[in-house]
Amino acid sequence: MTIGKLIFKIIDNIENVICRTLLASFVILLFIQIISRQVFDHSLSWSEELSTYMFVWFVYFGASYATKLAAHNRVTFQFKFFPPIVAVVSEAIADLIWVCFNGYFVFLSHDFVFNKMNLFWKSQTLGVPMKYVYMILPIAFALMTIRILQVNYYKLIKGIDIRDPESLEVEKLIESSSSTKTTALRQEHTHG
């Protein structure tokens, strides 16, 4: 694999890489904290605060990663009763509203972090300016917006259906279950 392809792969999966790193880091940090308390009877005060901030960042990057997989919860059952084009157009409109919301939230959070936040607000034990902790808000919502547009580009322009692997698995189970019932009913009708 060339360096260019590796860099593109990392950028394309940036949320995945960051989520894995954050998850491993804060779990190790919490484990060290538990060992420190139980075995050495000493508490690392900074570790709880740092692991909390890492967890918050993990959640926001995880939301962006879920957006890339089109794995966010949506109510789509009603679309089964309409022509497929209605489902596609309705989901596109919902995603457009989501993009507008995210764009507005990026604007508000950027304004809060860089203009309204007091520079002297620092975390309790680490002493880190809270601006760096809150910076996840504009970053995550901007990434989510990019991922929404990416998923819709693949779906609407390229014709590639990107959906959460779990929802695809559920659909396969439902289809196999209904085909099994249909086959059983046909056999009953034929033999009856």
Side-chain angles (χ1 to χ4, degrees):
M1 182 181 287
T2 65
I3 293 177
K5 285 184 180 179
L6 179 65
I7 290 171
F8 181 73
K9 185 175 181 180
I10 289 172
I11 290 171
D12 193 42
N13 294 302
I14 191 79
E15 299 94 343
N16 188 1
V17 171
I18 291 172
C19 281
R20 288 175 186 220
T21 305
L22 286 171
L23 179 63
S25 300
F26 79 74
V27 167
I28 290 169
L29 198 58
L30 288 174
F31 179 73
I32 291 170
Q33 173 71 349
I34 291 168
I35 297 298
S36 175
R37 279 186 187 171
Q38 298 300 319
V39 175
F40 302 110
D41 203 26
H42 176 71
S43 179
L44 304 169
S45 58
W46 57 269
S47 68
E48 287 182 41
E49 186 175 70
L50 180 59
S51 61
T52 300
Y53 296 149
M54 291 170 99
F55 180 72
V56 169
W57 277 59
F58 167 76
V59 168
Y60 278 107
F61 276 112
S64 180
Y65 185 64
T67 304
K68 180 187 177 213
L69 296 177
H72 278 279
N73 291 333
R74 330 178 153 227
V75 180
T76 58
F77 176 75
Q78 70 276 13
F79 297 137
K80 296 194 184 298
F81 301 110
F82 298 110
I85 190 71
V86 173
V88 171
V89 169
S90 297
E91 284 183 17
I93 290 170
D95 284 348
L96 181 63
I97 293 168
W98 191 7
V99 165
C100 291
F101 170 80
N102 285 352
Y104 184 61
F105 201 82
V106 167
F107 169 76
L108 288 177
S109 59
H110 180 275
D111 185 47
F112 173 71
V113 170
F114 293 103
N115 298 328
K116 296 192 171 132
M117 194 168 215
N118 187 333
L119 246 105
F120 301 105
W121 291 351
K122 297 192 187 267
S123 64
Q124 290 281 332
T125 56
L126 293 171
V128 174
M130 291 302 289
K131 174 183 283 198
Y132 299 119
V133 175
Y134 282 96
M135 233 188 272
I136 187 59
L137 295 173
I139 292 169
F141 280 90
L143 276 173
M144 271 192 272
T145 302
I146 291 166
R147 295 307 187 182
I148 294 166
L149 296 173
Q150 180 184 26
V151 166
N152 277 287
Y153 171 76
Y154 284 137
K155 186 170 45 176
L156 300 173
I157 307 297
K158 295 266 193 173
I160 301 170
D161 187 19
I162 296 178
R163 281 191 284 170
D164 177 27
E166 288 180 16
S167 66
L168 291 174
E169 195 65 32
V170 169
E171 274 186 27
K172 287 178 188 175
L173 287 172
I174 291 171
E175 287 174 11
S176 70
S177 171
S178 65
S179 67
T180 305
K181 286 179 185 176
T182 305
T183 307
L185 287 173
R186 282 186 192 153
Q187 287 176 351
E188 238 179 67
H189 184 59
T190 307
H191 295 302

